[in-house]
Amino acid sequence: MARRTPRYGRILATALWPFGIGLTSWHYMWRTTPLHRRERTGSPGHDDAPPLPDGVFRDDVQGPEEGVGPLFHRRYRVRVVDAELSAEELMSAIKEDPNRVAPTEFARFTKVEGEEGRLAVGDEFVVRMPGPWNGPVRVVATTATSFRLATLRGHLEAGQIEFRASDGGGGLVVTVESWARSGDRLSKLLYQNLRMAKEVQLHMWTSFLERVARVAGGRMVGGIDVETRRLDELAAAKRALDELHHESLNFDLRQQAEFTPQNGWKIDEYVQPLPPEEPGPPEPDGSWEAARQLMRDYEFADPSVVRAVYDADRPLEERDMMLEASFHGLRFRLGVRVGGVTDETREVDGRQARVWGWNYRTLRGHLEMGQIDYEVWKWVDTGEVEFRISAFSRAAYIPNPIVRLGFRIFGRREQVKFARRACERMASLTAAALGRSADDVAETREEGRVAPSASSR
């Protein structure tokens, strides 16, 4: 399909940037339409992207949860007087051919899925622009006076955009409203830091509205109103967490028998001794119980490496989590879902161990595929307490070639680093919860067996 054409084309197309930016700048310099621009702080709930309608085909959709940086809720609005077309007639004309109102000298809609001459849910377009701006989109909602598009993988942005018209208020009101984050790190640099993509986008949609007025047979009054509301990273992460409820696992658990090192999977086992207890069941205020509480709250993860956003009011076994991983100033959002909670007495080689733990599994959009289990064990006969990590994983498909290369080079190292650091933190935090000294913690660390299993190397 045309939207898949160059996975690497956007990188190669950077050679056309000077032409694309120059053309956009020339038109931008000679703009005479008044623009009324406002930028405000957004708020969760009010500025979140609308959910995708039920039944919409979700494959390849690049939602805001897969983007980077803050979420921008932007609205472009114009009032047209003396229009010859009603809101419904105008929207019908746009749906028939979006290029009637698109500034085609630097942005053209090309349909790659669906019937020509109509616009329906499921149709797909590529918006072609000079330089690395081509953007694949899918129609996810439509009414007589509106339609909404969602970005697909490879788009400069991650989000949705809606076009609508309404009659009344002294004329025809036309609105373009978007909810989006940057699609990747490069897009964030261009949009938020260098602001090039932001001005290209502004010029595109204001030109779009100027053409809408001409197609409607009327004239604009009062210029174009542009309002931008920005949601910070935490608010965007919470919104992204809500979107995870619609996501599925990015691997098939039914094939678990094939998850072996011979098939490219990493199989890891880590064991970290914790302060011991007296033999017998776990003590009410002992090491096992302290570790269990730390595990429930995901405290063992180093927040400078991985931060978890989740709804603490949901039962653990029903929890989705948005993990935010940091790597040398870069941040990646990784969705996971709790797959089960373990609470049992287990017999191993004739010995009994009291075991409590839980696991999570990777969701679509994660850099990896697999499952990781966290458990705290107490050996009833000796009183030994252990924190254990078990995992099976392999790299997922990563559309961005730069991120894919980086993960191949650094992914395994960071994976092992996370597990080792989690073991160290669990030992330190458990000892601290029991009022133990730093020497006790150091001694516990020296006893720890925290290397990956031989089969995973």
Side-chain angles (χ1 to χ4, degrees):
M1 294 173 60
R3 64 178 171 84
R4 293 190 182 277
T5 45
R7 281 214 327 257
Y8 301 98
R10 201 172 116 195
I11 295 177
L12 298 175
T14 54
L16 296 177
W17 280 14
F19 172 75
I21 295 299
L23 179 62
T24 301
S25 301
W26 175 261
H27 287 278
Y28 192 79
M29 287 172 55
W30 293 101
R31 175 176 299 284
T32 58
T33 301
L35 298 180
H36 309 289
R37 303 172 67 171
R38 302 182 304 281
E39 297 199 11
R40 297 175 177 174
T41 300
S43 59
H46 180 272
D47 295 296
D48 291 336
L52 293 176
D54 292 338
V56 168
F57 184 55
R58 297 173 181 269
D59 282 7
D60 287 338
V61 169
Q62 185 168 272
E65 69 280 0
E66 297 185 51
V68 298
L71 181 137
F72 291 92
H73 176 196
R74 180 166 284 108
R75 187 192 65 204
Y76 306 81
R77 179 176 292 170
V78 67
R79 187 161 63 92
V80 180
V81 298
D82 302 328
E84 299 174 358
L85 302 180
S86 67
E88 188 170 338
E89 291 170 335
L90 172 64
M91 195 54 59
S92 177
I94 296 173
K95 290 177 182 178
E96 184 177 343
D97 182 9
N99 290 315
R100 293 185 65 180
V101 290
T104 53
E105 67 272 17
F106 70 95
R108 175 174 291 275
F109 284 77
T110 301
K111 180 173 280 193
V112 296
E113 186 76 18
E115 298 179 17
E116 292 298 328
R118 63 187 294 271
L119 184 145
V121 172
D123 290 354
E124 296 185 10
F125 293 84
V126 171
V127 183
R128 303 191 182 280
M129 302 178 69
W133 316 109
N134 291 352
V137 294
R138 178 179 298 147
V139 180
V140 295
T142 180
T143 70
T145 57
S146 71
F147 64 94
R148 182 160 27 115
L149 308 175
T151 58
L152 301 180
R153 295 194 187 281
H155 198 287
L156 190 69
E157 293 186 300
Q160 299 181 50
I161 187 166
E162 184 172 89
F163 306 83
R164 60 181 181 269
S166 61
D167 297 305
L172 182 66
V173 177
V174 184
T175 303
V176 178
E177 187 169 11
S178 64
W179 304 263
R181 304 170 68 213
S182 297
D184 53 30
R185 306 287 162 187
L186 174 61
S187 303
K188 181 182 177 184
L189 174 67
L190 295 172
Y191 189 94
Q192 192 175 336
N193 300 94
L194 302 181
R195 302 179 69 88
M196 289 188 293
K198 181 177 181 179
E199 296 308 312
V200 169
Q201 183 188 69
L202 173 72
H203 181 48
M204 177 175 178
W205 297 125
T206 52
S207 298
F208 175 93
L209 291 174
E210 291 171 338
R211 291 175 179 241
V212 163
R214 290 198 291 271
V215 169
R219 56 185 177 84
M220 295 190 303
V221 292
I224 298 176
D225 185 77
V226 184
E227 180 177 89
T228 300
R229 297 174 63 88
R230 170 176 167 158
L231 277 172
D232 64 22
E233 294 279 3
L234 179 58
K238 290 179 178 178
R239 186 205 52 72
L241 175 65
D242 293 336
E243 290 290 326
L244 288 183
H245 301 319
H246 302 292
E247 295 293 355
S248 57
L249 300 184
N250 63 356
F251 67 102
D252 189 348
L253 270 173
R254 295 172 297 181
Q255 300 177 0
Q256 190 166 349
E258 301 176 14
F259 300 166
T260 64
Q262 291 74 22
N263 291 327
W265 290 79
K266 305 294 185 184
I267 310 299
D268 293 323
E269 298 285 344
Y270 300 83
V271 180
Q272 171 63 56
L274 302 177
E277 298 179 0
E278 293 296 323
E283 299 171 4
D285 298 316
S287 177
W288 188 89
E289 190 62 44
R292 187 168 79 102
Q293 187 58 49
L294 291 166
M295 289 170 56
R296 179 181 291 275
D297 296 335
Y298 202 64
E299 292 290 340
F300 53 83
D302 186 345
S304 67
V305 178
V306 175
R307 182 179 65 166
V309 179
Y310 59 89
D311 184 354
D313 294 331
R314 292 182 71 91
L316 176 59
E317 59 271 17
E318 300 176 6
R319 187 176 293 173
D320 287 340
M321 303 173 66
M322 180 60 75
L323 306 181
E324 293 192 327
S326 300
F327 177 72
H328 293 289
L330 302 178
R331 300 187 71 84
F332 301 91
R333 287 216 172 98
L334 311 171
V336 298
R337 175 168 296 142
V338 174
V341 176
T342 299
D343 189 0
E344 63 185 14
T345 298
R346 193 175 298 172
E347 188 164 321
V348 181
D349 296 331
R351 302 174 65 195
Q352 284 193 339
R354 184 71 175 87
V355 180
W356 185 91
W358 56 280
N359 68 64
Y360 59 60
R361 299 161 179 166
T362 56
L363 299 177
R364 190 171 66 92
H366 201 292
L367 300 179
E368 295 179 277
M369 300 184 291
Q371 174 177 309
I372 185 166
D373 290 72
Y374 303 103
E375 294 179 335
V376 56
W377 290 39
K378 178 178 179 180
W379 294 98
V380 176
D381 56 350
T382 63
E384 295 172 285
V385 180
E386 299 170 338
F387 174 55
R388 294 186 171 222
I389 301 176
S390 304
F392 57 86
S393 65
R394 67 178 299 174
Y397 171 68
I398 303 173
N400 187 305
I402 298 176
V403 176
R404 183 164 64 249
L405 176 61
F407 187 80
R408 286 178 179 174
I409 297 173
F410 302 107
R412 181 58 177 165
R413 186 190 72 181
E414 293 302 308
Q415 186 183 55
V416 173
K417 176 183 174 182
F418 166 79
R420 290 179 180 274
R421 182 63 180 138
C423 289
E424 292 175 359
R425 277 180 58 85
M426 180 59 83
S428 298
L429 293 173
T430 302
L434 300 175
R436 302 289 181 88
S437 68
D439 291 338
D440 293 331
V441 175
E443 182 179 343
T444 303
R445 283 181 181 170
E446 289 172 4
E447 296 172 356
R449 304 185 303 279
V450 296
S453 63
S455 63
S456 72
R457 294 178 182 174

